Amino acid sequence: MSVNNNLSLLGLELNKANIDIIASQLSHEVFEGWKDASIVCTQAKYLQKVAESVLEKLEKPLKDEIALNNNKIVNSNIEISSKNGYAQLDYEQDALYLELKNKLAERKKELDMASKTEHTIVDSNGVIRTKVSIKGYTKDSIVMKLK
């Protein structure tokens, strides 16, 4: 007896080649006026959460399967391998590093404050606080939260 390992959505197998096709079909429903964008995007958000949950729940058995297959599995054109964690140094144990980090944070606060006012700011030592120009803007985004 053979096992069907294929998942499908909208009658199409879930694979790299069909990602854009599936996205286009779902978007088409909005562009044709059949569904509101909020409905389709909400459904996509649920699909994303399902995927995240499955990956989280199956992390241990997946790691075991990867180990049994010489640290590499290729399935539906997705290469799956394991990456070992690594040590992270605690730079804040170094007094100079911590001092510079704190000074930088304080300077950032001062620059933020100076940029929020039209007036020139002079500190207690008589030093004029520099105003910095705007480097750019972040992209507007849509926030979706599950309740």
Side-chain angles (χ1 to χ4, degrees):
M1 170 186 244
S2 67
V3 177
N4 182 359
N5 289 330
N6 297 329
L7 288 175
S8 63
L9 184 63
L10 300 175
L12 294 168
E13 182 181 347
L14 286 177
N15 60 35
K16 186 176 180 178
N18 288 337
I19 290 172
D20 284 337
I21 296 169
I22 292 169
S24 292
Q25 284 185 2
L26 290 170
S27 300
H28 182 73
E29 294 181 3
V30 173
F31 297 135
E32 290 297 320
W34 300 329
K35 287 187 178 178
D36 291 334
S38 62
I39 298 297
V40 175
C41 289
T42 300
Q43 292 169 338
K45 187 67 171 181
Y46 280 123
L47 285 172
Q48 180 185 31
K49 290 296 182 182
V50 166
E52 289 170 1
S53 181
V54 167
L55 293 171
E56 182 181 320
K57 288 178 183 345
L58 296 181
E59 182 177 6
K60 171 74 171 99
L62 181 57
K63 284 181 177 180
D64 293 344
E65 185 178 339
I66 292 167
L68 291 173
N69 288 280
N70 295 318
N71 201 37
K72 185 176 176 182
I73 300 171
V74 177
N75 193 346
S76 297
N77 292 324
I78 294 179
E79 184 177 298
I80 306 169
S81 61
S82 145
K83 178 181 173 185
N84 292 330
Y86 56 90
Q88 294 180 311
L89 299 177
D90 185 3
Y91 297 110
E92 293 186 12
Q93 289 181 348
D94 178 71
L96 179 58
Y97 177 90
L98 189 57
E99 179 185 343
L100 292 171
K101 180 181 175 192
N102 290 335
K103 283 183 180 179
L104 186 59
E106 184 60 35
R107 180 65 177 165
K108 184 178 182 296
K109 283 181 191 175
E110 291 171 358
L111 292 170
D112 286 343
M113 187 172 33
S115 69
K116 291 178 183 176
T117 181
E118 293 180 19
H119 306 292
T120 301
I121 297 178
V122 180
D123 70 11
S124 59
N125 297 325
V127 176
I128 296 175
R129 291 295 174 205
T130 309
K131 289 187 180 187
V132 294
S133 62
I134 295 173
K135 181 179 179 179
Y137 292 91
T138 60
K139 180 182 171 191
D140 291 345
S141 61
I142 296 171
V143 177
M144 298 175 79
K145 296 180 184 175
L146 263 61
K147 292 188 170 199

